[in-house]
Amino acid sequence: KNQVEQSPQSLIILEGKNCTLQCNYTVSPFSNLRWYKQDTGRGPVSLTIMTFSENTKSNGRYTATLDADTKQSSLHITASQLSDSASYICVVTGTSYGKLTFGQGTILTVHP
Amino acid sequence: DGGITQSPKYLFRKEGQNVTLSCEQNLNHDAMYWYRQDPGQGLRLIYYSQIVNDFQKGDIAEGYSVSREKKESFPLTVTSAQKNPTAFYLCASSIVFFGLYEQYFGPGTRLTVT
C-alpha cells in the first residue's frame, strides 16, 4: 500500500531557529514529491516539487531534499519566522499521471 | 489561493440534509479535484474531473456526488448517505490531470453536520 509518513507530528521552535521536517514514503514507482504549506483554515500552497532526478530544491528559506534510494525527503526551514507557523504536508505521486498520496502533515509552531 | 474560490467558508447542516459546496476556478484549468481533510489524516480524494462533462470517483466517493457542466465549476454535493460528513473540504485544479503540474487549492469549506 502506498503510504507517506511524516515526522514529527508537531514541532515547536523559537523564532530565528532552523528546523527540519521528515517525510518517508513507500510509493512505487516514484514520479515526484511535493511539499505544501497549509495555514490553519486555508488551502495548501505549494513550496517545492522534485522529480526523482533532483535531490535538492530551494524556495527562499525553504530547502527540500530527496533521496529516492532510501525513499526519504526532508524540508529544512532556515531562520524561522512567526509566519512559518503552519502545517507542512509531504505529497508523493507514483507515476507521471498518478494520483497524489498525502502525508498527514507536521504542525510547526514558531514562538517569539 | 490561486484563482480558486470556494463558498461558503463555513457551512452548518442538520443530519439527513443534502448540501452542495461550490468550487469555481478562473485559471482555465482542465482538471479539478475534491479532497476531504480530517484532523491527523492526509487529504483524501473524493472525486476528480479531467475535462468538462467527465468525472471519476476517487478513494472515498461514497455519499458524495459531483457535476462538471462548465470548465470553471465543479460543485460537490454531500448527501445524507455520507456517514460522517463533518470535515474540511478542499477543491483543487491543475492544468491537466495530475502529473507533474502543480495543483492549486481553494481556501476550503468547513462543513459541520449535527
Side-chain angles (χ1 to χ4, degrees):
Chain A
K1 180 181 177 182
N2 289 335
Q3 287 187 312
V4 176
E5 296 288 338
Q6 293 185 242
S7 62
Q9 286 189 334
S10 61
L11 181 62
I12 299 174
I13 62 174
L14 293 177
E15 187 178 13
K17 298 296 185 182
N18 303 338
C19 67
T20 300
L21 314 180
Q22 301 290 345
C23 174
N24 295 342
Y25 61 91
T26 61
V27 178
S28 183
F30 171 82
S31 175
N32 61 79
L33 184 145
R34 312 158 194 233
W35 282 94
Y36 281 90
K37 177 187 179 187
Q38 184 178 22
D39 292 319
T40 302
R42 304 294 297 273
V45 175
S46 177
L47 294 175
T48 64
I49 178 170
M50 291 185 290
T51 62
F52 69 91
S53 61
E54 298 173 291
N55 54 28
T56 301
K57 184 163 278 191
S58 292
N59 178 358
R61 294 180 297 103
Y62 301 101
T63 299
T65 65
L66 172 65
D67 186 334
D69 291 331
T70 62
K71 294 186 168 60
Q72 295 180 325
S73 176
S74 65
L75 180 69
H76 186 75
I77 304 175
T78 303
S80 61
Q81 301 176 358
L82 297 179
S83 59
D84 292 332
S85 294
S87 178
Y88 291 84
I89 303 172
C90 176
V91 186
V92 180
T93 304
T95 60
S96 294
Y97 292 95
K99 290 185 290 185
L100 279 58
T101 302
F102 290 79
Q104 80 278 24
T106 292
I107 299 173
L108 174 66
T109 304
V110 181
H111 283 168
Chain B
D1 291 293
I4 300 179
T5 57
Q6 291 185 242
S7 61
K9 188 168 180 62
Y10 299 96
L11 193 52
F12 298 88
R13 280 294 182 269
K14 294 289 188 185
E15 196 172 319
Q17 293 179 333
N18 292 355
V19 60
T20 297
L21 282 59
S22 168
C23 176
E24 303 278 331
Q25 55 101 356
N26 62 4
L27 302 169
N28 200 32
H29 286 173
D30 282 324
M32 297 187 74
Y33 316 84
W34 273 106
Y35 292 94
R36 171 184 172 135
Q37 187 174 35
D38 295 283
Q41 294 190 42
L43 274 68
R44 292 182 290 169
L45 182 65
I46 304 172
Y47 266 98
Y48 61 92
S49 169
Q50 298 185 54
I51 57 171
V52 175
N53 293 322
D54 175 78
F55 50 83
Q56 304 293 330
K57 292 182 179 180
D59 300 318
I60 55 165
E62 185 176 351
Y64 299 98
S65 65
V66 294
S67 63
R68 186 86 187 275
E69 297 176 1
K70 297 186 295 182
K71 187 175 185 178
E72 58 270 23
S73 178
F74 191 41
L76 173 75
T77 297
V78 184
T79 74
S80 56
Q82 167 50 229
K83 291 182 172 53
N84 186 17
T86 294
F88 189 53
Y89 290 88
L90 287 160
C91 178
S93 71
S94 60
I95 294 175
V96 295
F97 174 63
F98 291 121
L100 296 177
Y101 295 96
E102 183 173 339
Q103 284 196 17
Y104 294 87
F105 286 85
T109 291
R110 186 166 299 280
L111 172 65
T112 303
V113 177
T114 58

